[in-house]
């Protein structure tokens, strides 16, 4: 825990001799320090330099993507280069953990719906920002879900009764309306479905499963956490994570649009599967063979 405090992954707050630990990106009622306005007495301070807790990563990422003006989206490498070229961000980009926190910020922005990711390219999701959580699944029926064998009888962490995104409770969400929280089974971190950009059907599916937040997400196939995190896909029906190489069949590139994992995908059996395979073979050899004299 202390090592996590030192490298900035966890924020330690001491009050009247008692220590509490917080998420640096959501420290609660602390007033954030604006970029480029650090007091002279704090410049070079280890606490500010190490945890980057005052940085609004969503604003930085949007600034970089809009500043690069790449029509198909910007890679994380180009975003990092752009931010490092900005003179007012010199203190932030010189931090040794800047690159790691930028990657984490990008993942959270995609998960929150602020950014769209197409392969390695990121773009600003103006639709979600304007539509206040408009769902991409509004007209799509999701398949039912069930627990996997390794998910059954697993312990669950005590849920934290505060949304990690808007800091609201089940009595009041971002729009000051009552909304039940969804909690991570591993760490207890919670969030409103509207803050997570979950449609009602996905919310129902997630509540029936052992859900993991973006930081705790493990591949449901190989069950390894942290391996090839950039190549992990999230099912639009159950929100489970799968590495592209662990999918059935394995994928070599990020799929576009809605993606359903092999667990939720309806299974085709018997004669129906046989006829489908036969039709594929017929289509493959349907073109006439060119004959040469």
């Amino acid at each position: 825990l202390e090592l996590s405090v030192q490298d900035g992954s966890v924020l330690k707050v001491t009050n009247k001799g008692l220590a509490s630990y917080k998420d640096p990106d959501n420290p609660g009622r602390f007033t954030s320090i604006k970029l480029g306005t650090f007091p002279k007495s704090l410049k070079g301070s280890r606490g500010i330099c190490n945890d980057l807790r005052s940085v609004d990563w969503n604003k930085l990422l949007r600034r970089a993507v809009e500043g690069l003006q790449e029509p198909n989206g910007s890679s994380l490498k180009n975003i990092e280069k752009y931010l490092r070229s900005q003179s007012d961000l010199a203190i932030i980009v010189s931090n040794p953990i800047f690159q790691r926190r930028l990657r984490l910020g990008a993942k959270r922005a995609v998960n929150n719906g602020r950014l769209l990711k197409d392969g390695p390219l990121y773009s600003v999701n103006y639709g979600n920002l304007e539509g206040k959580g408009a769902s991409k699944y509004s007209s799509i029926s999701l398949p039912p879900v069930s627990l996997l064998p390794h998910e059954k009888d697993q312990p669950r962490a005590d849920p934290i009764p505060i949304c990690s995104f808007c800091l609201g409770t089940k009595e009041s969400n971002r729009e000051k309306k009552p909304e039940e929280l969804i909690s991570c089974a591993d760490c207890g971190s919670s969030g409103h479905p509207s803050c997570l950009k979950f449609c009602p059907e996905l919310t129902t599916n997630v509540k029936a499963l052992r859900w993991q937040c973006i930081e705790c997400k493990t591949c449901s196939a190989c069950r390894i956490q942290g391996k090839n995190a950039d190549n992990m896909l999230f099912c639009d029906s159950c929100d489970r994570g799968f590495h592209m190489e662990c999918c059935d069949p394995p994928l070599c590139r990020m799929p576009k649009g809605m993606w359903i994992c092999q667990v939720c995908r309806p299974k085709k059996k018997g004669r129906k599967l046989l006829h489908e395979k036969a039709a594929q073979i017929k289509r493959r050899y349907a073109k006439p063979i060119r004959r040469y004299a």
Side-chain angles (χ1 to χ4, degrees):
L1 187 58
E2 291 301 325
L3 289 174
S4 297
V5 171
Q6 290 176 18
D7 70 10
S9 300
V10 175
L11 171 63
K12 183 178 181 179
V13 180
T14 305
N15 183 23
K16 298 180 180 180
L18 298 175
S20 59
Y21 299 87
K22 299 176 178 290
D23 179 357
D25 291 337
N26 297 289
R29 289 177 288 181
F30 288 92
T31 55
S32 60
I33 302 174
K34 293 182 180 180
L35 304 179
T37 60
F38 293 101
K40 291 183 179 179
S41 60
L42 292 179
K43 285 186 178 181
S45 169
R46 183 178 177 185
I48 294 296
C49 180
N50 277 349
D51 57 28
L52 298 178
R53 65 177 178 268
S54 63
V55 178
D56 188 334
W57 294 103
N58 290 324
K59 287 184 179 178
L60 282 188
L61 288 161
R62 180 172 180 173
R63 172 180 168 180
V65 173
E66 290 180 341
L68 288 166
Q69 296 182 345
E70 296 176 302
N72 297 324
S74 305
S75 67
L76 203 57
K77 187 175 182 180
N78 288 345
I79 291 173
E80 183 181 347
K81 284 182 179 179
Y82 179 89
L83 294 176
R84 289 188 184 278
S85 68
Q86 305 300 300
S87 58
D88 61 321
L89 303 178
I91 296 176
I92 295 172
V93 299
S94 62
N95 192 294
I97 65 168
F98 166 72
Q99 187 181 47
R100 182 153 56 90
R101 294 307 299 274
L102 178 65
R103 288 181 179 275
L104 180 60
K107 286 182 183 178
R108 286 179 171 175
V110 172
N111 188 55
N112 297 342
R114 295 179 181 273
L115 290 183
L116 296 174
K117 187 177 182 185
D118 183 8
L121 303 179
Y122 294 85
S123 58
V124 178
N125 187 4
Y126 296 104
N128 265 354
L129 294 175
E130 295 168 2
K132 291 186 179 180
S135 174
K136 62 179 178 179
Y137 317 99
S138 55
S139 61
I140 299 174
S141 178
L142 300 180
V145 296
S146 59
L147 286 170
L148 294 172
H150 70 270
E151 294 174 338
K152 296 178 181 178
D153 302 324
Q154 289 290 323
R156 293 176 180 265
D158 294 332
I160 300 172
I162 297 175
C163 176
S164 299
F165 305 98
C166 69
L167 300 181
T169 62
K170 65 180 181 179
E171 287 80 19
S172 177
N173 62 10
R174 198 188 298 270
E175 298 178 354
K176 308 302 179 185
K177 296 179 181 179
E179 185 179 14
E180 290 293 328
L181 293 166
I182 298 173
S183 300
C184 174
D186 286 349
C187 69
S189 177
S190 303
H192 293 114
S194 59
C195 294
L196 291 162
K197 310 297 179 188
F198 284 1
C199 69
E201 285 188 331
L202 179 57
T203 302
T204 302
N205 286 352
V206 163
K207 286 182 177 179
L209 300 174
R210 193 179 183 280
W211 182 70
Q212 293 175 308
C213 66
I214 189 68
E215 283 82 10
C216 299
K217 194 80 74 179
T218 57
C219 175
S220 293
C222 67
R223 307 181 204 173
I224 299 176
Q225 187 179 32
K227 181 188 105 176
N228 295 339
D230 292 336
N231 291 331
M232 184 174 284
L233 303 174
F234 301 108
C235 176
D236 288 317
S237 176
C238 65
D239 200 48
R240 290 188 180 100
F242 289 87
H243 295 122
M244 289 198 294
E245 63 269 22
C246 296
C247 294
D248 182 19
L251 302 175
C252 59
R253 64 178 63 183
M254 291 281 183
K256 293 183 179 181
M258 189 174 182
W259 178 75
I260 304 296
C261 70
Q262 59 260 33
V263 178
C264 300
R265 199 181 305 131
K267 304 283 189 303
K268 294 173 182 174
K269 298 179 180 179
R271 190 177 296 274
K272 186 177 180 181
L273 178 62
L274 184 63
H275 284 307
E276 184 176 299
K277 293 294 182 183
Q280 289 178 359
I281 294 172
K282 285 181 181 179
R283 285 195 298 271
R284 187 181 303 170
Y285 295 103
K287 294 181 181 179
I289 299 173
R290 184 176 298 175
R291 298 181 180 275
Y292 297 94

PDB file of all heavy atoms in Angstrom, residues 168-181:
ATOM      1  N   GLY A 168     -21.767  10.595  -6.295  1.00  0.00           N
ATOM      2  CA  GLY A 168     -23.115  10.554  -5.758  1.00  0.00           C
ATOM      3  C   GLY A 168     -23.402   9.221  -5.088  1.00  0.00           C
ATOM      4  O   GLY A 168     -22.557   8.314  -5.056  1.00  0.00           O
ATOM      5  N   THR A 169     -24.588   9.073  -4.543  1.00  0.00           N
ATOM      6  CA  THR A 169     -25.015   7.841  -3.896  1.00  0.00           C
ATOM      7  C   THR A 169     -26.214   7.267  -4.648  1.00  0.00           C
ATOM      8  O   THR A 169     -26.625   7.810  -5.678  1.00  0.00           O
ATOM      9  CB  THR A 169     -25.405   8.105  -2.430  1.00  0.00           C
ATOM     10  OG1 THR A 169     -26.520   9.023  -2.405  1.00  0.00           O
ATOM     11  CG2 THR A 169     -24.240   8.728  -1.661  1.00  0.00           C
ATOM     12  N   LYS A 170     -26.775   6.183  -4.113  1.00  0.00           N
ATOM     13  CA  LYS A 170     -27.947   5.604  -4.790  1.00  0.00           C
ATOM     14  C   LYS A 170     -29.163   6.529  -4.698  1.00  0.00           C
ATOM     15  O   LYS A 170     -30.105   6.391  -5.466  1.00  0.00           O
ATOM     16  CB  LYS A 170     -28.271   4.235  -4.207  1.00  0.00           C
ATOM     17  CG  LYS A 170     -28.706   4.245  -2.747  1.00  0.00           C
ATOM     18  CD  LYS A 170     -29.005   2.838  -2.273  1.00  0.00           C
ATOM     19  CE  LYS A 170     -29.480   2.836  -0.814  1.00  0.00           C
ATOM     20  NZ  LYS A 170     -29.795   1.470  -0.343  1.00  0.00           N
ATOM     21  N   GLU A 171     -29.135   7.481  -3.756  1.00  0.00           N
ATOM     22  CA  GLU A 171     -30.229   8.440  -3.650  1.00  0.00           C
ATOM     23  C   GLU A 171     -30.122   9.570  -4.661  1.00  0.00           C
ATOM     24  O   GLU A 171     -31.119  10.226  -4.976  1.00  0.00           O
ATOM     25  CB  GLU A 171     -30.288   9.050  -2.236  1.00  0.00           C
ATOM     26  CG  GLU A 171     -30.818   8.106  -1.164  1.00  0.00           C
ATOM     27  CD  GLU A 171     -29.755   7.134  -0.683  1.00  0.00           C
ATOM     28  OE1 GLU A 171     -28.556   7.431  -0.898  1.00  0.00           O
ATOM     29  OE2 GLU A 171     -30.123   6.091  -0.095  1.00  0.00           O
ATOM     30  N   SER A 172     -28.905   9.824  -5.188  1.00  0.00           N
ATOM     31  CA  SER A 172     -28.724  10.966  -6.087  1.00  0.00           C
ATOM     32  C   SER A 172     -27.584  10.688  -7.058  1.00  0.00           C
ATOM     33  O   SER A 172     -26.434  10.568  -6.642  1.00  0.00           O
ATOM     34  CB  SER A 172     -28.435  12.228  -5.272  1.00  0.00           C
ATOM     35  OG  SER A 172     -28.187  13.335  -6.113  1.00  0.00           O
ATOM     36  N   ASN A 173     -27.910  10.599  -8.349  1.00  0.00           N
ATOM     37  CA  ASN A 173     -26.877  10.411  -9.365  1.00  0.00           C
ATOM     38  C   ASN A 173     -26.442  11.763  -9.929  1.00  0.00           C
ATOM     39  O   ASN A 173     -26.716  12.813  -9.342  1.00  0.00           O
ATOM     40  CB  ASN A 173     -27.353   9.474 -10.475  1.00  0.00           C
ATOM     41  CG  ASN A 173     -28.565  10.019 -11.219  1.00  0.00           C
ATOM     42  OD1 ASN A 173     -28.959  11.173 -11.048  1.00  0.00           O
ATOM     43  ND2 ASN A 173     -29.158   9.196 -12.064  1.00  0.00           N
ATOM     44  N   ARG A 174     -25.780  11.757 -11.087  1.00  0.00           N
ATOM     45  CA  ARG A 174     -25.280  12.993 -11.683  1.00  0.00           C
ATOM     46  C   ARG A 174     -26.405  13.984 -11.990  1.00  0.00           C
ATOM     47  O   ARG A 174     -26.216  15.192 -11.977  1.00  0.00           O
ATOM     48  CB  ARG A 174     -24.522  12.654 -12.980  1.00  0.00           C
ATOM     49  CG  ARG A 174     -23.596  13.753 -13.471  1.00  0.00           C
ATOM     50  CD  ARG A 174     -23.058  13.387 -14.843  1.00  0.00           C
ATOM     51  NE  ARG A 174     -22.275  12.165 -14.815  1.00  0.00           N
ATOM     52  CZ  ARG A 174     -20.967  12.118 -14.598  1.00  0.00           C
ATOM     53  NH1 ARG A 174     -20.303  13.239 -14.383  1.00  0.00           N
ATOM     54  NH2 ARG A 174     -20.327  10.965 -14.602  1.00  0.00           N
ATOM     55  N   GLU A 175     -27.589  13.458 -12.280  1.00  0.00           N
ATOM     56  CA  GLU A 175     -28.744  14.309 -12.595  1.00  0.00           C
ATOM     57  C   GLU A 175     -29.666  14.495 -11.399  1.00  0.00           C
ATOM     58  O   GLU A 175     -30.826  14.872 -11.553  1.00  0.00           O
ATOM     59  CB  GLU A 175     -29.520  13.701 -13.761  1.00  0.00           C
ATOM     60  CG  GLU A 175     -28.703  13.610 -15.047  1.00  0.00           C
ATOM     61  CD  GLU A 175     -29.469  12.957 -16.179  1.00  0.00           C
ATOM     62  OE1 GLU A 175     -30.597  12.478 -15.933  1.00  0.00           O
ATOM     63  OE2 GLU A 175     -28.948  12.943 -17.305  1.00  0.00           O
ATOM     64  N   LYS A 176     -29.146  14.200 -10.189  1.00  0.00           N
ATOM     65  CA  LYS A 176     -29.893  14.382  -8.938  1.00  0.00           C
ATOM     66  C   LYS A 176     -31.135  13.494  -8.869  1.00  0.00           C
ATOM     67  O   LYS A 176     -32.150  13.854  -8.272  1.00  0.00           O
ATOM     68  CB  LYS A 176     -30.300  15.854  -8.747  1.00  0.00           C
ATOM     69  CG  LYS A 176     -29.164  16.861  -8.884  1.00  0.00           C
ATOM     70  CD  LYS A 176     -28.038  16.596  -7.904  1.00  0.00           C
ATOM     71  CE  LYS A 176     -26.897  17.607  -8.070  1.00  0.00           C
ATOM     72  NZ  LYS A 176     -25.742  17.289  -7.193  1.00  0.00           N
ATOM     73  N   LYS A 177     -31.051  12.302  -9.503  1.00  0.00           N
ATOM     74  CA  LYS A 177     -32.150  11.353  -9.467  1.00  0.00           C
ATOM     75  C   LYS A 177     -31.697  10.072  -8.776  1.00  0.00           C
ATOM     76  O   LYS A 177     -30.517   9.706  -8.854  1.00  0.00           O
ATOM     77  CB  LYS A 177     -32.621  11.027 -10.891  1.00  0.00           C
ATOM     78  CG  LYS A 177     -33.197  12.223 -11.635  1.00  0.00           C
ATOM     79  CD  LYS A 177     -33.616  11.819 -13.038  1.00  0.00           C
ATOM     80  CE  LYS A 177     -34.175  13.005 -13.817  1.00  0.00           C
ATOM     81  NZ  LYS A 177     -34.560  12.628 -15.199  1.00  0.00           N
ATOM     82  N   PRO A 178     -32.584   9.363  -8.080  1.00  0.00           N
ATOM     83  CA  PRO A 178     -32.188   8.100  -7.441  1.00  0.00           C
ATOM     84  C   PRO A 178     -31.841   7.043  -8.478  1.00  0.00           C
ATOM     85  O   PRO A 178     -32.528   6.896  -9.488  1.00  0.00           O
ATOM     86  CB  PRO A 178     -33.435   7.711  -6.632  1.00  0.00           C
ATOM     87  CG  PRO A 178     -34.564   8.447  -7.272  1.00  0.00           C
ATOM     88  CD  PRO A 178     -33.990   9.709  -7.825  1.00  0.00           C
ATOM     89  N   GLU A 179     -30.756   6.293  -8.241  1.00  0.00           N
ATOM     90  CA  GLU A 179     -30.311   5.249  -9.168  1.00  0.00           C
ATOM     91  C   GLU A 179     -29.439   4.262  -8.400  1.00  0.00           C
ATOM     92  O   GLU A 179     -28.526   4.655  -7.670  1.00  0.00           O
ATOM     93  CB  GLU A 179     -29.521   5.855 -10.325  1.00  0.00           C
ATOM     94  CG  GLU A 179     -29.135   4.850 -11.397  1.00  0.00           C
ATOM     95  CD  GLU A 179     -28.375   5.493 -12.551  1.00  0.00           C
ATOM     96  OE1 GLU A 179     -27.926   6.647 -12.408  1.00  0.00           O
ATOM     97  OE2 GLU A 179     -28.206   4.828 -13.584  1.00  0.00           O
ATOM     98  N   GLU A 180     -29.733   2.984  -8.545  1.00  0.00           N
ATOM     99  CA  GLU A 180     -28.963   1.943  -7.870  1.00  0.00           C
ATOM    100  C   GLU A 180     -27.522   1.907  -8.391  1.00  0.00           C
ATOM    101  O   GLU A 180     -27.276   2.168  -9.574  1.00  0.00           O
ATOM    102  CB  GLU A 180     -29.618   0.579  -8.063  1.00  0.00           C
ATOM    103  CG  GLU A 180     -30.927   0.406  -7.314  1.00  0.00           C
ATOM    104  CD  GLU A 180     -30.758   0.393  -5.806  1.00  0.00           C
ATOM    105  OE1 GLU A 180     -29.706  -0.081  -5.329  1.00  0.00           O
ATOM    106  OE2 GLU A 180     -31.658   0.888  -5.107  1.00  0.00           O
ATOM    107  N   LEU A 181     -26.594   1.553  -7.514  1.00  0.00           N
ATOM    108  CA  LEU A 181     -25.186   1.473  -7.874  1.00  0.00           C
ATOM    109  C   LEU A 181     -24.813   0.047  -8.288  1.00  0.00           C
ATOM    110  O   LEU A 181     -25.401  -0.921  -7.808  1.00  0.00           O
ATOM    111  CB  LEU A 181     -24.305   1.899  -6.699  1.00  0.00           C
ATOM    112  CG  LEU A 181     -24.380   3.365  -6.282  1.00  0.00           C
ATOM    113  CD1 LEU A 181     -23.739   3.549  -4.908  1.00  0.00           C
ATOM    114  CD2 LEU A 181     -23.667   4.250  -7.296  1.00  0.00           C
TER     115      LEU A 181
END
